[in-house]
Amino acid sequence: GENVEQHPSTLSVQEGDSAVIKCTYSDSASNYFPWYKQELGKRPQLIIDIRSNVGEKKDQRIAVTLNKTAKHFSLHITETQPEDSAVYFCAEGGGTSYGKLTFGQGTILTVHP
Amino acid sequence: GAGVSQSPSNKVTEKGKDVELRCDPISGHTALYWYRQSLGQGLEFLIYFQGNSAPDKSGLPSDRFSAERTGGSVSTLTIQRTQQEDSAVYLCASSLPSRYEQYFGPGTRLTVT
């Protein structure tokens, strides 16, 4: 079945530094890889996603890279700000189970002012 | 426009009682998903509805869990004979036809005492 490993589980950075979160997946048929940000007590919010026909996608301070051969993808946040502090989840989908997403366990990101 | 809505926002119930959780997807979204998030954990897929197709129930943890979607819109997740391990936040998401992006509701926090 599908499985997603996410690292690190916690990440602490200083404001202005970069943060990188990495995920590996098992279903070679997966072709959709979203990232969600969840603030305490709030709903998960889609912040960026990438499809398997693209190696990298950028949106302002956030970027995602995908290596289909190695079956891993990463979230990069540059110039971090305190409001970036949240739990970040990676997920994979679009493979053998089409619509459903399989999520990683989450990374608690803390940005210190 | 209006996002995904869920009710109730909080539900406290006694062990052994049945509960019903409701999800109202974004208008025009034909796909609807239920996930469960236990404290400090990632999101666990439960069930997925797509249009008039048979639902993907592969994530339901036991036969005490069931869900229906009436008229292709509102969905109800029912948990019978609740157990303490059912305590979690139950999240609903929806997506447009043939699109992977899922948008989440605020969740229902279920506490079984």
Side-chain angles (χ1 to χ4, degrees), chain B residues 3-80:
Chain B
V4 178
S5 61
Q6 293 185 245
S7 61
S9 54
N10 280 283
K11 176 71 176 178
V12 181
T13 190
E14 291 181 353
K15 177 181 172 182
K17 296 287 178 73
D18 297 352
V19 295
E20 284 189 352
L21 313 179
R22 175 189 168 108
C23 172
D24 214 326
I26 296 171
S27 178
H29 283 201
T30 57
L32 186 149
Y33 313 81
W34 284 97
Y35 294 88
R36 177 169 70 175
Q37 186 174 31
S38 301
L39 188 62
Q41 298 296 308
L43 284 76
E44 173 192 7
F45 168 78
L46 297 177
I47 188 169
Y48 157 45
F49 297 89
Q50 173 59 278
N52 295 320
S53 302
D56 177 349
K57 304 179 183 179
S58 60
L60 295 179
S62 78
D63 59 8
R64 296 186 295 105
F65 288 72
S66 63
E68 62 177 23
R69 189 176 184 194
T70 53
S73 182
V74 172
S75 177
T76 302
L77 177 70
T78 301
I79 309 173
Q80 296 178 309

Side-chain angles (χ1 to χ4, degrees), chain A residues 31-32 36 38 41-46 49 51 89 93-95 97-106, chain B residues 3-4 33 35 37 40-45 48 50 56 58 91 98-106 109:
Chain A
N31 58 10
Y32 175 65
Y36 284 84
Q38 187 176 31
K42 301 289 182 64
R43 72 187 75 190
Q45 289 194 306
L46 179 64
D49 56 17
R51 285 165 174 74
F89 293 98
S97 297
Y98 190 68
K100 85 175 208 190
L101 294 177
T102 301
F103 284 83
Q105 290 300 300
Chain B
V4 178
Y33 313 81
Y35 294 88
Q37 186 174 31
Q41 298 296 308
L43 284 76
E44 173 192 7
F45 168 78
Y48 157 45
Q50 173 59 278
D56 177 349
S58 60
L91 290 157
S98 302
R99 297 293 301 230
Y100 289 129
E101 298 90 342
Q102 295 183 22
Y103 298 93
F104 282 85
R109 181 175 298 278

Side-chain angles (χ1 to χ4, degrees), chain A residues 32-113:
Chain A
Y32 175 65
F33 306 92
W35 287 88
Y36 284 84
K37 175 184 180 181
Q38 187 176 31
E39 297 176 5
L40 190 63
K42 301 289 182 64
R43 72 187 75 190
Q45 289 194 306
L46 179 64
I47 57 172
I48 195 167
D49 56 17
I50 192 167
R51 285 165 174 74
S52 60
N53 57 346
V54 176
E56 182 173 358
K57 183 177 178 180
K58 190 172 182 179
D59 182 3
Q60 299 183 356
R61 295 186 298 108
I62 60 174
V64 57
T65 58
L66 171 66
N67 183 327
K68 279 221 79 178
T69 303
K71 290 193 277 188
H72 66 71
F73 56 111
S74 301
L75 178 71
H76 305 252
I77 307 175
T78 59
E79 300 170 28
T80 53
Q81 300 166 4
E83 51 265 39
D84 294 329
S85 296
V87 182
Y88 290 81
F89 293 98
C90 64
E92 57 94 6
T96 51
S97 297
Y98 190 68
K100 85 175 208 190
L101 294 177
T102 301
F103 284 83
Q105 290 300 300
T107 297
I108 302 172
L109 173 65
T110 305
V111 181
H112 299 281

